[in-house]
Amino acid sequence: MVKYYWMNQAAGHEMITLMDQNEITALGASLRPIDQRLLTPAKEEGTRRVWYQGGEPYFDVFVELRQGKIEWFQFTLRGKSLSWRPQASGWQTGRTNEMRTDDLTFYPASKLIESDKQPDAELIELARSILQTRAGDEFFDQVLTLFESPEEKTLP
């Protein structure tokens, strides 16, 4: 079981849920690639964007690749966000506005992220667990290498 905290923003309080391996596996299996033609083209030559959308609302994996190397990674699930870039110092976690019912600027095709002061180690472990269910797929294997990098060791 993985302990997973998420904010029920409509109710205004944190909720703790435990995810068993069956739910983690189902989330991983639900990730489907989105047609590249639907994405805004990358501005730099040699850069490609990849988007996987999960089987429930507010579940996405985005990756930007430059010459085959990951330049940016973002995982969002149930109002939480995890991101990584080589220029940043480790993982960054935060909350998205997707589940807020009081957000007047809400537009379904965009999300705003409010960063956490400290990385959420449980969210990082949950993301790794979900993505690990797709090990053996070249794309997900490449993403999983991020979790093996020195930045992971900077977690509190």
Side-chain angles (χ1 to χ4, degrees), residues 69-156:
K69 286 186 67 176
I70 297 175
E71 288 293 314
W72 176 70
F73 162 81
Q74 184 179 67
F75 173 99
T76 57
L77 175 66
R78 300 176 186 170
K80 294 280 205 151
S81 169
L82 169 64
S83 60
W84 176 91
R85 332 177 271 229
Q87 307 90 326
S89 58
W91 293 105
Q92 184 174 12
T93 59
R95 299 171 194 258
T96 71
N97 66 325
E98 294 171 309
M99 298 182 78
R100 290 187 61 176
T101 57
D102 63 340
D103 189 347
L104 297 176
T105 63
F106 181 73
Y107 174 67
S110 66
K111 66 180 84 163
L112 301 173
I113 298 172
E114 181 181 334
S115 296
D116 294 332
K117 291 180 178 152
Q118 293 291 324
D120 180 344
E122 290 166 342
L123 178 61
I124 295 167
E125 178 56 25
L126 176 62
R128 187 201 63 74
S129 296
I130 291 169
L131 297 171
Q132 184 66 43
T133 67
R134 300 293 293 268
D137 176 302
E138 185 178 341
F139 172 77
F140 289 100
D141 285 347
Q142 185 176 9
V143 171
L144 285 165
T145 64
L146 300 176
F147 293 84
E148 299 165 2
S149 67
E151 287 84 5
E152 181 182 17
K153 297 178 178 103
T154 64
L155 292 175

